[in-house]
Amino acid sequence: MSNRLTILFDNIRWEEKALYESARKKGIEVTNLNCNNLFIDLNNGVAENDVVLQRCVSYFRSLHSTAALEGNGVRVVNRLHTSLIAGNKLFAHMKLKEVGVRTPRSMLAFSMDSAIQALDKLGYPSVLKPTVGSWGRLIALLKDKESAEAVIEDREHMFPLYQIYYLEEFVKRPPRDIRSIVVGDRVVGAIYRYSPEGRWKTNMALGGRAELCPVTKELEDVCLRASKAVNGEVVGVDLMEDERDGLVVHEVNNTTEFKNVTRVTGNDIPSLIIDYLTTLKR
């Protein structure tokens, strides 16, 4: 790539700061750009043609800014296709299924009645997830039919996106999941994420704890196939250890957080990402 890098963000976190510092130390001319300050002339292109590392948390900002930049010849990591697929749990599920990566059993419904019918087949407890979202927001554990009806009735009054009912089986697993980071064709680190006391979600933002997870040959294989399924370049792959099916992938993150993977593994993941970007050809 050229010696210039733009890190595009909408919510600056430890990751964006660490990437900036790492690039600067490597002598790269780097800019942190808030997406709120970005405008793009769609007809006349962009004046500068840096490599852009897409770090917007918002699915819609990520998708649209990547589309506009790529359309003007800018090399964006991750690419539009990855943002589109990985940013939507349903799209990602179908791509993972296509390449034979195991996923939790899931169902899709478009009304309250059909969602309840789907849950009768899927069984309780089950999990209702928004197709687009992060940090565990609006993910609901449906313990029985009564709780399902209450949650879904609320969703019927929300934005239409939340009336797309993506339902997932409640996987029988240890009280933890696995977050691994893939950069290019390498799994550069993995951690176990344990649920906080009395909670079932494992998101670290909710107070969970992390421990080192060894990168076994099986874990590496599943993660690389999951990344490849979405044409990922820098992604986080989230997995569960299903008592019945072994490792199942429940999410691929295209603007993944890696602070805890860096801290627990001791691997300098920001540096590895910047090194990967320097190898890119337009």
Side-chain angles (χ1 to χ4, degrees):
M1 71 172 203
S2 71
N3 202 38
R4 294 189 311 195
L5 169 67
T6 296
I7 300 171
L8 186 62
F9 70 94
D10 59 359
N11 187 338
I12 198 153
R13 302 164 287 179
W14 179 90
E15 284 79 5
E16 287 72 40
K17 295 175 184 174
L19 288 161
Y20 178 88
E21 285 304 318
S22 183
R24 192 181 60 79
K25 288 177 183 173
K26 292 175 187 289
I28 294 170
E29 187 181 332
V30 57
T31 303
N32 258 344
L33 176 60
N34 189 329
C35 195
N36 289 332
N37 298 325
L38 175 69
F39 64 89
I40 301 166
D41 185 332
L42 299 179
N43 295 93
N44 296 309
V46 293
E48 297 177 349
N49 206 11
D50 302 355
V51 168
V52 172
L53 181 60
Q54 177 59 263
R55 295 289 305 168
C56 287
V57 176
S58 160
Y59 176 69
F60 298 104
R61 281 199 194 98
S62 170
L63 204 59
H64 290 82
S65 59
T66 301
L69 289 166
E70 279 193 358
N72 279 295
V74 177
R75 178 68 164 93
V76 184
V77 176
N78 292 288
R79 293 182 186 271
L80 176 61
H81 178 81
T82 306
S83 296
L84 177 67
I85 301 299
N88 183 302
K89 294 177 181 65
L90 166 66
F91 298 169
H93 180 99
M94 302 315 296
K95 279 293 177 186
L96 292 168
K97 178 176 178 290
E98 189 177 299
V99 299
V101 172
R102 285 194 293 266
T103 56
R105 186 185 179 207
S106 303
M107 291 196 180
L108 185 69
F110 297 94
S111 70
M112 182 166 178
D113 286 346
S114 61
I116 295 299
Q117 289 176 40
L119 285 163
D120 287 341
K121 300 264 185 200
L122 199 55
Y124 294 97
S126 287
V127 179
L128 171 62
K129 295 182 173 181
T131 54
V132 174
S134 54
W135 296 332
R137 288 171 177 162
L138 288 176
I139 293 179
L141 179 62
L142 309 176
K143 294 182 179 178
D144 51 37
K145 192 168 187 173
E146 189 175 358
S147 64
E149 288 174 340
V151 170
I152 294 170
E153 188 175 359
D154 277 351
R155 301 291 166 91
E156 287 286 285
H157 299 285
M158 296 173 71
F159 188 72
L161 178 66
Y162 301 112
Q163 294 161 26
I164 307 296
Y165 298 110
Y166 180 72
L167 302 157
E168 196 174 272
E169 68 173 329
F170 185 78
V171 172
K172 291 182 179 177
R173 56 168 173 81
R176 67 188 187 190
D177 72 355
I178 298 171
R179 158 67 56 89
S180 68
I181 304 297
V182 178
V183 179
D185 59 359
R186 292 179 58 201
V187 179
V188 297
I191 56 172
Y192 292 118
R193 303 187 302 182
Y194 286 82
S195 311
E197 186 71 28
R199 308 284 292 268
W200 63 278
K201 294 179 185 176
T202 57
N203 302 68
M204 301 303 294
L206 300 176
R209 64 182 174 85
E211 290 182 1
L212 182 66
C213 173
V215 180
T216 63
K217 196 68 185 169
E218 180 189 13
L219 179 64
E220 180 182 46
D221 175 66
V222 173
C223 291
L224 292 180
R225 286 196 292 130
S227 177
K228 191 174 179 182
V230 300
N231 293 334
E233 294 179 270
V234 178
V235 297
V237 180
D238 294 343
L239 310 96
M240 293 184 280
E241 302 155 280
D242 190 326
E243 290 179 1
R244 181 190 62 209
D245 294 329
L247 291 175
V248 296
V249 174
H250 60 99
E251 200 161 329
V252 182
N253 301 279
N254 58 301
T255 54
T256 187
E257 293 178 337
F258 46 82
K259 176 183 176 181
N260 287 299
V261 181
T262 301
R263 175 178 61 82
V264 172
T265 64
N267 298 335
D268 190 346
I269 292 173
S271 177
L272 294 169
I273 293 172
I274 298 299
D275 287 345
Y276 171 76
L277 296 176
T278 64
T279 68
L280 296 179
K281 295 178 181 175
R282 294 184 187 282

